[in-house]
Amino acid sequence: MPGPTTAFKQVIQLGIVVRDVDACIDRYKALLGISDEQVSRIETKDLPSWLETRYRGKPSEFHVRIALIDFGGLQFELIEPLAGDPSCYSEFLETVGQGIQHIMVQPADHAELTRTLESNGTEPVSY
Protein backbone atom coordinates (compact mmCIF):
# COMPACT_ATOMS: atom_id res chain seq x y z
CA MET A 1 0.00 0.00 0.00
CA PRO A 2 1.46 3.40 -0.93
CA GLY A 3 2.36 5.77 1.88
CA PRO A 4 0.94 9.25 2.39
CA THR A 5 1.69 11.86 -0.24
CA THR A 6 4.50 14.31 0.41
CA ALA A 7 3.14 16.76 -2.16
CA PHE A 8 1.18 18.62 0.53
CA LYS A 9 2.29 20.14 3.83
CA GLN A 10 -1.03 20.89 5.53
CA VAL A 11 -4.67 21.86 5.09
CA ILE A 12 -4.88 25.65 5.23
CA GLN A 13 -8.44 26.46 4.16
CA LEU A 14 -11.95 25.05 4.00
CA GLY A 15 -14.05 26.70 1.28
CA ILE A 16 -17.73 26.60 2.19
CA VAL A 17 -20.45 27.75 -0.20
CA VAL A 18 -23.37 29.37 1.62
CA ARG A 19 -26.59 31.18 0.78
CA ASP A 20 -26.03 34.07 3.23
CA VAL A 21 -22.51 35.02 4.34
CA ASP A 22 -23.66 37.49 7.00
CA ALA A 23 -25.88 34.94 8.76
CA CYS A 24 -23.08 32.36 8.63
CA ILE A 25 -20.53 34.81 10.07
CA ASP A 26 -22.71 35.22 13.14
CA ARG A 27 -23.01 31.44 13.57
CA TYR A 28 -19.24 30.88 13.15
CA LYS A 29 -18.41 33.69 15.58
CA ALA A 30 -20.67 32.14 18.21
CA LEU A 31 -19.50 28.57 17.53
CA LEU A 32 -15.78 29.35 17.47
CA GLY A 33 -15.80 32.15 20.04
CA ILE A 34 -14.14 34.63 17.71
CA SER A 35 -14.42 38.39 17.29
CA ASP A 36 -14.93 40.62 14.26
CA GLU A 37 -11.14 41.19 14.15
CA GLN A 38 -10.74 37.58 12.96
CA VAL A 39 -13.15 38.07 10.05
CA SER A 40 -12.24 39.71 6.72
CA ARG A 41 -14.91 40.52 4.17
CA ILE A 42 -14.37 40.69 0.40
CA GLU A 43 -16.63 41.19 -2.59
CA THR A 44 -15.33 40.32 -6.03
CA LYS A 45 -16.49 43.71 -7.32
CA ASP A 46 -13.84 45.22 -5.01
CA LEU A 47 -10.98 43.18 -6.50
CA PRO A 48 -8.58 44.68 -9.07
CA SER A 49 -9.98 44.84 -12.60
CA TRP A 50 -6.87 43.07 -13.96
CA LEU A 51 -7.76 39.93 -12.01
CA GLU A 52 -9.25 37.63 -14.62
CA THR A 53 -11.57 34.89 -13.48
CA ARG A 54 -12.17 31.80 -15.57
CA TYR A 55 -14.68 29.00 -15.34
CA ARG A 56 -14.40 25.75 -17.28
CA GLY A 57 -11.67 27.23 -19.49
CA LYS A 58 -13.48 30.43 -20.47
CA PRO A 59 -13.43 33.98 -19.09
CA SER A 60 -16.23 34.40 -16.58
CA GLU A 61 -17.50 37.47 -14.78
CA PHE A 62 -19.28 36.50 -11.61
CA HIS A 63 -19.84 38.25 -8.32
CA VAL A 64 -19.47 36.63 -4.89
CA ARG A 65 -19.34 37.83 -1.29
CA ILE A 66 -16.61 36.18 0.78
CA ALA A 67 -15.81 36.10 4.48
CA LEU A 68 -12.42 34.81 5.59
CA ILE A 69 -12.33 33.58 9.18
CA ASP A 70 -8.92 32.81 10.67
CA PHE A 71 -9.04 30.21 13.40
CA GLY A 72 -5.95 28.52 14.82
CA GLY A 73 -4.02 28.27 11.55
CA LEU A 74 -7.06 27.15 9.55
CA GLN A 75 -9.04 29.57 7.42
CA PHE A 76 -12.75 29.18 6.81
CA GLU A 77 -13.73 30.81 3.51
CA LEU A 78 -17.48 31.42 3.37
CA ILE A 79 -18.57 32.07 -0.22
CA GLU A 80 -21.96 33.46 -1.24
CA PRO A 81 -22.63 33.51 -5.01
CA LEU A 82 -24.41 36.76 -5.92
CA ALA A 83 -24.68 37.49 -9.64
CA GLY A 84 -23.11 37.32 -13.07
CA ASP A 85 -21.90 34.41 -15.14
CA PRO A 86 -22.01 30.86 -13.79
CA SER A 87 -19.16 29.93 -11.47
CA CYS A 88 -18.01 26.85 -9.61
CA TYR A 89 -19.69 28.38 -6.55
CA SER A 90 -23.13 28.97 -8.08
CA GLU A 91 -22.97 25.53 -9.71
CA PHE A 92 -22.14 23.92 -6.36
CA LEU A 93 -24.97 25.73 -4.57
CA GLU A 94 -27.48 24.71 -7.27
CA THR A 95 -26.43 21.05 -7.48
CA VAL A 96 -25.27 20.22 -3.95
CA GLY A 97 -26.53 23.00 -1.69
CA GLN A 98 -24.57 24.61 1.11
CA GLY A 99 -21.41 22.84 2.19
CA ILE A 100 -17.67 22.35 1.82
CA GLN A 101 -16.83 23.07 -1.81
CA HIS A 102 -13.05 22.88 -1.58
CA ILE A 103 -10.18 22.06 0.73
CA MET A 104 -7.03 24.10 0.14
CA VAL A 105 -3.73 22.48 0.97
CA GLN A 106 -0.30 24.03 1.11
CA PRO A 107 1.87 22.29 -1.48
CA ALA A 108 5.41 21.31 -0.57
CA ASP A 109 6.55 22.53 -4.01
CA HIS A 110 3.94 24.47 -6.00
CA ALA A 111 5.81 24.31 -9.33
CA GLU A 112 6.36 20.55 -9.04
CA LEU A 113 2.73 19.94 -8.09
CA THR A 114 1.55 22.02 -11.07
CA ARG A 115 3.80 20.03 -13.43
CA THR A 116 2.52 16.75 -12.01
CA LEU A 117 -1.12 17.76 -12.36
CA GLU A 118 -0.59 19.04 -15.92
CA SER A 119 1.28 15.87 -16.92
CA ASN A 120 -1.70 13.82 -15.68
CA GLY A 121 -4.09 15.89 -17.80
CA THR A 122 -5.66 17.70 -14.86
CA GLU A 123 -7.20 21.05 -15.82
CA PRO A 124 -8.41 23.70 -13.38
CA VAL A 125 -12.18 24.16 -13.17
CA SER A 126 -11.96 27.74 -11.91
CA TYR A 127 -9.39 30.31 -10.94
Side-chain angles (χ1 to χ4, degrees):
M1 174 183 275
T5 181
T6 58
F8 306 116
K9 288 183 176 184
Q10 65 183 27
V11 173
I12 57 176
Q13 182 188 77
L14 297 177
I16 306 163
V17 175
V18 300
R19 287 188 178 86
D20 183 339
V21 161
D22 294 324
C24 286
I25 288 171
D26 291 339
R27 285 195 300 268
Y28 274 79
K29 283 171 53 181
L31 178 67
L32 301 174
I34 60 172
S35 66
D36 276 335
E37 290 76 38
Q38 291 167 275
V39 179
S40 301
R41 292 171 172 84
I42 302 168
E43 289 203 25
T44 50
K45 68 178 180 58
D46 298 330
L47 296 175
S49 60
W50 54 262
L51 184 63
E52 179 186 352
T53 53
R54 300 182 68 78
Y55 177 62
R56 300 203 178 273
K58 299 177 182 169
S60 180
E61 292 187 30
F62 56 87
H63 184 59
V64 296
R65 180 178 296 131
I66 297 171
L68 301 172
I69 301 171
D70 293 316
F71 181 71
L74 179 64
Q75 184 179 73
F76 293 89
E77 179 184 32
L78 306 177
I79 308 158
E80 176 187 350
L82 295 175
D85 294 337
S87 68
C88 60
Y89 311 115
S90 61
E91 179 182 280
F92 187 90
L93 192 58
E94 290 170 15
T95 59
V96 177
Q98 297 187 116
I100 296 175
Q101 188 260 351
H102 67 267
I103 299 171
M104 182 186 293
V105 293
Q106 181 180 15
D109 182 330
H110 191 270
E112 179 61 29
L113 178 61
T114 300
R115 284 191 295 276
T116 300
L117 292 172
E118 287 173 348
S119 72
N120 290 327
T122 302
E123 294 181 28
V125 173
S126 181
Y127 57 90

